[in-house]
Amino acid sequence: MEFNKPADQNLFDRSKVVGKPHTRIDGPLKVSGQAPYAYERHDVVDGQLVGYPVGSTIAKGRITSMNTEAAKKAPGVKAVVTTLDIEPLGIWDYNAARLFGGDKVEHYHQAIAVVVAETFEQARAAAALIETSYDVEQAKFDLKSEFERLQGTGEPDTVGNFDEAFAAAPVTLDEVYTTPSESHAMMEPHASIVDWSDGGDMKLWTSNQMIEWGRQALAKIFSIDPDRISLESPYIGGGFGAKLWVCSDAVLAAVGSRAAGRPVKLAMPRPFVANNTTHRSATIQRIKIGAAEDGKITAISHEAASHTLLGGSGENAIAQTPYFYAGDNRYIIHHPVEMNLPEANAMRAPGETAGLMALEIAMDEMAEKLDMDPVEFRIANDTQIKPGNPMKPFSDRHFVECLRRGADAFGWADRNKTPGGQRDGNWLIGHGMAGAYRGAPTMKSGARVRLKDGSLTVETDMTDIGTGSYTILAQTAAETMGLPLEAVDVQLGKSSYPVSSGSGGQWGAASSTAGVYAACVALRQQIAERLGLEDPRFEGGNVVDGDMETALVDIAQGEELVAEDTMEFGDFKKNMVHATFGAHFVEVGVHAGTGETRVRRMLAACDAGRILNPITARSQVIGGMTMGTGGALSEELALDQGRGFFANHDLAGYEVAVHADIPHQEVIFLDTLDVSATPLKAKGVGELGLCGVAAAIANAAYNATGVRVRDYPVTLDKMIDKLPAI
Amino acid sequence: MNLPIEFQLRRRTLLIGTAASAAALRFAQTAQAQTPVSKPAGAEKSAVTMTVNGETKTLELDHRTTLLDALREHLKLTGTKKGCDHGQCGACTVSVNGTRVNSCLSLAVMHEGDEVTTIEGLGTPDNLDPMQQAFVDHDGFQCGYCTPGQICSAKAVIDEIRAGVPSHVTSDLTSPIEMSGPEIRERMSGNICRCGAYSNIVEAITEVAGEQV
Ligand code: FES
Ligand code: FES
């Protein structure tokens, strides 16, 4: 099916299931510990051995030798394979790091060996016996000096004449902001069981957001036919972009399985994850804004840099700037800087997360210079087209409504406006807000449905990474087939199922529900033909045509009806910008003596098209707000600039938000419908909640103290010497 | 210093498989394990008997095996999760003799005679414990990986507050401790949820605590 024009009124506008608050259909399995994650599949293949990885201890250079004698003789060891034993493996299209093979080291903790043994304890002990010698090459890891060198170079995206407009603007801002490298830190480390015992078909039970990408990637990495590879990933313990890719867990398990002639399972040790896999790159961002006295932006420049391995793209912090706010004169450029650090790649809302951390502080600073309310300043600069391109309208944009509804619900008007002017005992109280923007792409997505005895099974290689895919796909199928939710079973994450959009880039929910809808429509047609009906309705478990009602349970009399289709999205979508919008409002307390910042209240108002399930959608948003709280106040992969690695590479050193950091959170969804998004008029919401929230916290900390911190995270050391006198 | 070093072809043995591909993958042959170079003094394994979810289990375990791996790998009770293996995340939380512990930080052989309760011992999908049900009702999870640990901790937190065990945020040590948001959050802070379900988890715990009064 092709979605090639905006949706008319359709069944989702009269929905009984879609858009209603249903708890997760996979919930009972998850809360009782019965949902099987990758490393736990004892049942899928016999004779599993355990692999343990070894990582490089240098960032750049060559391995000159590896002594594996002791490891090979250690108890229980079945195989040892080092990177010197095999030729460099292939690199997949969307990745930059080579996962294994060859003597060249390009980043710290690059996988350089795998030890396979009967037990985990044996493999781990033997891995520690491998001795490696290197020829170390010097490398530079200083993003700041690179940014200074690169400023003003390259080919910016320009509109009008920024320099002239900025020079002429009566009110201007020119500041530099930094965001640190961040780690996805999902709770389940990357893990795979691989059976490639005989070198024939390769079977994986893994933790991966994108099943088909995974199959293609493995095919390229190992130069084998993708049809020989199968993947299963029904439950994923978080991903946030870290599991968009095949990582070294799968590659080492495959290599180990091949060498040992038995299936091998391998989970990355937690301290290996941060430097072996991907992360969000640090950024440096210089933002200049010029505005007229009335608050209209006339000139905006956003120049950013981030680090990347050769061939990668870093963190594109300028992603939102061509779209979010009006302004006739613009200068926008991102400089990816090559560095021998682990691969910088997508982490939840790549681009906008880091970009809005900076831009939304800049907007706050500008509002103050203009003596305007930061909410009103943003409203004054709303745009319904891509600035500079009247031919490119937004498909559906209600940013202003997010700002107004959010401000009302939060009580924004009642806040203290003078920085440092409100106290509660030892705490300085501040309020801050920020805008949220994130693109809303859709991707081709397929599904198969099977109807038997009135029960429907949905099969698609879509994944549920905590997003609620199981539930919203069941809701979509139930709605389309006129069945109760309980009559629908959803099977996900297998490469034998039709190829879906997968989970990433906030496209999963919108795309995969459209794919399931397409498959259900195909099944409806099949049923209609069978019954010789033109255009029957499907409701209440029946096929209804005039006075005639046939129960779905009676249609095939024990036979199974199967239909499959893929939703493709037509070119008409390219004529507009699809995006989601939001506004964050935060109250913090900053301790007057120590400068410690605590979040007291958080509220987000979100415009993301039809909300398919308000329970799971809200969880996505509060999850983003929580991640953004970590990003604002504590998260930082600390770079050892001498050796080129992230020093705090575990969950003790890398501080994500914990229970004590997070108050009750509120989310308001605007009831919008984006008719050109999908037949369900839905957009993604999984990343929107993270966008802008860190800046709202930073702005609140400023309002509390009068101390402006432009370098994340906003920690007490950056404030304590500037706090108001006690 | 940055001179390109010619990549040298090394000793390789093409593993002959059925892969009908131009395999770029070539391994050195792996020596089979022979006599270990060194052996630890004394036995490497011991038998340990514990009660797990009401059933007596005797296991012959490597001394290095954690309680977590004894559960996950040997008893195939994979409901208890491994998030870090270093006591940093709480995903492995189980109850031992009524006290919550990080099972990754505890060697299995230390648990002779102990009573261990894991998430599987609390309830099943068809017969959930009230705390498990409250997590479903309040959407106190997303990916579900931290969830068994959160639930095991949550049950213990209610007991700890009722038993008057003070926490960092307890301001009055002489009167009964209030079952408050700050108390629950403080005590749950060893259980990380990267999906960020905290706000919902606290509501689930508060509901269960309220019902049990
Ligand atoms: S696995 Fe035990 S605390 Fe993380
Ligand atoms: S539900 Fe995913 S980490 Fe808590």
Side-chain angles (χ1 to χ4, degrees):
Chain A
M1 182 184 276
E2 196 185 6
F3 183 63
N4 51 20
K5 63 174 182 18
D8 296 325
Q9 279 279 319
N10 62 27
L11 74 146
F12 299 108
D13 297 314
R14 309 177 292 273
S15 68
K16 298 188 179 68
V17 197
V18 164
K20 305 289 183 260
H22 283 285
T23 57
R24 288 168 203 260
I25 62 172
D26 50 333
L29 282 181
K30 284 181 173 173
V31 299
S32 58
Q34 304 297 324
Y37 296 81
Y39 195 77
E40 302 166 356
R41 309 292 297 273
H42 291 290
D43 54 325
V44 291
V45 56
D46 287 337
Q48 296 173 23
L49 297 171
V50 180
Y52 200 89
V54 179
S56 148
T57 54
I58 65 163
K60 188 180 186 193
R62 303 265 171 182
I63 297 174
T64 52
S65 71
M66 294 183 76
N67 184 346
T68 58
E69 285 310 304
K72 283 175 178 166
K73 287 180 182 158
V77 171
K78 295 292 176 193
V80 177
V81 185
T82 77
T83 192
L84 301 183
D85 295 335
I86 67 172
E87 288 180 4
L89 294 175
I91 301 175
W92 191 51
D93 310 14
Y94 300 165
N95 290 117
R98 191 179 306 285
L99 296 177
F100 200 56
D103 68 346
K104 194 172 170 191
V105 175
E106 289 176 297
H107 68 88
Y108 185 87
H109 270 181
Q110 178 177 318
I112 59 170
V114 58
V115 176
V116 176
E118 290 284 356
T119 71
F120 171 70
E121 294 80 11
Q122 291 168 335
R124 181 181 57 189
L129 300 175
I130 294 177
E131 285 171 13
T132 306
S133 310
Y134 304 92
D135 208 347
V136 184
E137 289 172 44
Q138 291 299 313
K140 286 198 197 124
F141 304 102
D142 184 1
L143 189 61
K144 197 164 175 230
S145 63
E146 292 297 306
F147 182 59
E148 273 156 24
R149 183 174 65 76
L150 289 165
Q151 272 195 75
T153 67
E155 284 172 31
D157 173 3
T158 61
V159 176
N161 186 327
F162 170 79
D163 285 337
E164 275 178 20
F166 187 67
V171 183
T172 60
L173 164 123
D174 180 357
E175 294 290 352
V176 175
Y177 307 84
T178 64
T179 66
S181 293
E182 292 181 344
S183 184
H184 306 75
M186 66 283 142
M187 291 307 298
E188 178 203 29
H190 300 71
S192 297
I193 302 173
V194 180
D195 185 4
W196 200 24
S197 306
D198 60 6
D201 291 352
M202 184 192 286
K203 296 197 195 75
L204 285 94
W205 296 268
T206 187
S207 187
N208 192 297
Q209 302 173 221
M210 301 288 296
I211 301 301
E212 179 59 15
W213 284 10
R215 214 167 62 95
Q216 298 298 338
L218 284 160
K220 182 151 186 199
I221 289 166
F222 288 109
S223 306
I224 59 176
D225 182 347
D227 289 342
R228 309 198 68 139
I229 302 168
S230 65
L231 271 81
E232 268 188 42
S233 193
Y235 293 95
I236 297 159
F240 313 113
K243 295 172 182 168
L244 291 166
W245 325 117
V246 165
C247 293
S248 65
D249 58 307
V251 168
L252 295 179
V255 165
S257 171
R258 190 68 202 90
R262 279 171 61 182
V264 170
K265 63 176 180 178
L266 189 149
M268 278 194 206
R270 174 59 66 179
F272 196 60
V273 175
N275 286 291
N276 176 264
T277 70
T278 58
H279 66 283
R280 188 197 305 285
S281 168
T283 70
I284 299 187
Q285 307 178 45
R286 183 170 179 186
I287 296 176
K288 300 182 206 171
I289 303 177
E293 301 283 5
D294 64 359
K296 294 268 193 233
I297 294 174
T298 53
I300 183 163
S301 161
H302 195 166
E303 185 162 19
S306 66
H307 62 247
T308 172
L309 278 175
L310 179 63
S313 53
E315 177 75 4
N316 185 33
I318 60 169
Q320 65 292 317
T321 312
Y323 303 96
F324 200 11
Y325 295 114
D328 289 340
N329 302 283
R330 314 171 80 86
Y331 180 103
I332 300 166
I333 186 167
H334 171 232
H335 306 284
V337 179
E338 280 165 23
M339 267 185 212
N340 285 89
L341 288 173
E343 177 172 328
N345 209 323
M347 177 170 152
R348 200 175 199 174
E352 284 95 334
T353 299
L356 290 168
M357 285 167 88
L359 180 63
E360 291 299 304
I361 296 184
M363 289 295 286
D364 200 60
E365 295 194 69
M366 250 336 252
E368 188 177 32
K369 283 174 187 261
L370 286 157
D371 197 21
M372 273 178 91
D373 182 315
V375 170
E376 296 304 326
F377 176 49
R378 286 169 174 84
I379 290 173
N381 289 290
D382 187 47
T383 175
Q384 291 294 325
I385 56 160
K386 182 183 180 198
N389 188 351
M391 302 307 289
K392 197 113 177 166
F394 283 95
S395 59
D396 194 54
R397 171 167 166 144
H398 305 274
F399 179 45
V400 171
E401 206 180 331
C402 292
L403 291 162
R404 293 214 193 281
R405 292 251 326 251
D408 275 356
F410 187 77
W412 179 250
D414 303 331
R415 79 195 190 287
N416 159 55
K417 298 187 182 74
T418 314
Q422 190 182 349
R423 270 185 94 128
D424 173 9
N426 286 328
W427 295 87
L428 298 159
I429 306 303
H431 299 90
M433 59 80 52
Y437 177 95
R438 174 69 179 154
T442 40
M443 306 262 279
K444 184 173 152 180
S445 197
R448 181 159 56 223
V449 287
R450 302 174 178 277
L451 180 71
K452 190 168 185 216
D453 300 331
S455 294
L456 190 81
T457 304
V458 178
E459 296 175 345
T460 162
D461 86 352
M462 181 59 190
T463 49
D464 190 327
I465 61 174
T467 37
S469 309
Y470 279 105
T471 311
I472 58 170
L473 295 182
Q475 287 176 272
T476 304
E479 189 77 57
T480 313
M481 297 311 300
L483 286 167
L485 193 64
E486 302 71 47
V488 181
D489 178 37
V490 178
Q491 297 288 324
L492 300 181
K494 275 192 197 174
S495 56
S496 57
Y497 297 156
V499 175
S500 73
S501 62
S503 302
Q506 193 174 260
W507 62 60
S511 309
S512 65
T513 51
V516 167
Y517 169 68
C520 289
V521 168
L523 180 62
R524 284 165 53 135
Q525 277 160 1
Q526 200 183 114
I527 292 169
E529 274 164 33
R530 216 180 164 94
L531 299 177
L533 302 173
E534 194 65 21
D535 188 22
R537 284 174 292 131
F538 288 74
E539 52 188 43
N542 297 313
V543 188
V544 185
D545 187 54
D547 293 344
M548 198 190 108
E549 269 194 19
T550 314
L552 278 174
V553 66
D554 294 332
I555 283 184
Q557 305 284 8
E559 188 194 333
E560 186 177 60
L561 300 184
V562 184
E564 181 175 332
D565 200 4
T566 294
M567 180 63 78
E568 307 202 40
F569 295 92
D571 282 345
F572 84 100
K573 293 191 78 170
K574 295 194 181 127
N575 301 326
M576 41 193 129
V577 184
H578 291 86
T580 58
F581 309 89
H584 289 284
F585 295 85
V586 171
E587 176 180 305
V588 302
V590 180
H591 195 277
T594 66
E596 178 192 9
T597 301
R598 308 283 304 160
V599 176
R600 297 185 157 206
R601 282 202 294 143
M602 302 183 93
L603 178 146
C606 302
D607 166 25
R610 185 191 303 282
I611 297 304
L612 301 166
N613 180 337
I615 293 180
T616 53
R618 177 178 174 279
S619 284
Q620 285 295 289
V621 176
I622 67 169
M625 291 157 77
T626 302
M627 192 176 274
T629 303
L633 298 176
S634 58
E635 287 181 42
E636 173 175 22
L637 278 173
L639 176 62
D640 179 328
Q641 282 207 10
R643 293 179 184 79
F645 77 109
F646 298 121
N648 52 343
H649 50 86
D650 62 24
L651 292 173
Y654 185 80
E655 296 177 344
V656 305
V658 301
H659 274 280
D661 300 320
I662 302 299
H664 173 75
Q665 295 163 319
E666 271 181 65
V667 181
I668 298 168
F669 288 117
L670 267 49
D671 253 329
T672 58
L673 298 174
D674 191 333
V675 294
S676 69
T678 78
L680 286 83
K681 308 174 186 177
K683 294 187 277 202
V685 73
E687 300 184 332
L688 180 64
L690 174 57
C691 296
V693 65
I697 294 170
N699 292 339
Y702 170 75
N703 176 252
T705 60
V707 183
R708 183 65 79 177
V709 178
R710 300 185 184 88
D711 300 300
Y712 288 97
V714 182
T715 45
L716 47 82
D717 53 302
K718 294 168 189 165
M719 293 210 267
I720 196 155
D721 57 342
K722 305 182 196 83
L723 289 176
I726 297 190
Chain B
M1 182 159 292
N2 285 322
L3 285 180
I5 304 166
E6 195 120 318
F7 181 74
Q8 303 211 337
L9 295 181
R10 291 178 191 78
R11 177 177 64 94
R12 295 182 193 109
T13 309
L14 176 64
L15 286 195
I16 302 148
T18 51
S21 62
L25 179 61
R26 295 160 194 208
F27 300 93
Q29 229 144 25
T30 308
Q32 283 302 310
Q34 296 176 355
T35 359
V37 256
S38 63
K39 266 197 155 248
E44 288 170 40
K45 288 187 167 192
S46 298
V48 59
T49 301
M50 52 182 126
T51 307
V52 180
N53 300 332
E55 283 179 41
T56 307
K57 301 282 180 188
T58 299
L59 297 166
E60 180 79 11
L61 292 176
D62 189 316
H63 295 155
R64 298 167 293 187
T65 303
T66 59
L67 176 58
L68 173 61
D69 281 334
L71 295 168
R72 281 169 63 85
E73 302 299 321
H74 297 267
L75 297 174
K76 315 254 190 291
L77 291 170
T78 53
T80 308
K81 304 304 180 196
K82 186 187 279 191
C84 68
D85 218 11
H86 288 68
Q88 302 168 344
C89 76
C92 63
T93 307
V94 299
S95 165
V96 176
N97 302 331
T99 303
R100 57 177 169 156
V101 302
N102 285 342
S103 60
C104 71
L105 285 189
S106 187
L107 295 172
V109 291
M110 296 158 63
H111 291 283
E112 180 65 33
D114 283 352
E115 277 197 38
V116 180
T117 306
T118 70
I119 191 75
E120 291 92 343
L122 298 184
T124 57
D126 297 329
N127 184 24
L128 297 175
D129 174 89
M131 187 64 80
Q132 292 172 318
Q133 186 62 52
F135 268 63
V136 174
D137 295 343
H138 291 272
D139 213 35
F141 58 94
Q142 293 172 41
C143 77
Y145 201 77
C146 73
T147 312
Q150 301 278 358
I151 290 171
C152 290
S153 257
K155 289 179 69 76
V157 160
I158 294 178
D159 294 344
E160 286 163 23
I161 294 176
R162 294 233 167 89
V165 180
S167 83
H168 171 67
V169 298
T170 310
S171 48
D172 179 359
L173 297 181
T174 55
S175 36
I177 301 169
E178 207 192 327
M179 193 73 68
S180 66
E183 279 287 355
I184 293 171
R185 289 190 180 97
E186 173 62 26
R187 291 161 194 268
M188 288 298 294
S189 284
N191 288 85
I192 296 175
C193 176
R194 184 56 159 167
C195 293
Y198 299 131
S199 182
N200 292 351
I201 293 171
V202 172
E203 273 153 42
I205 299 172
T206 306
E207 179 187 278
V208 174
E211 280 167 4
Q212 289 178 352
V213 172

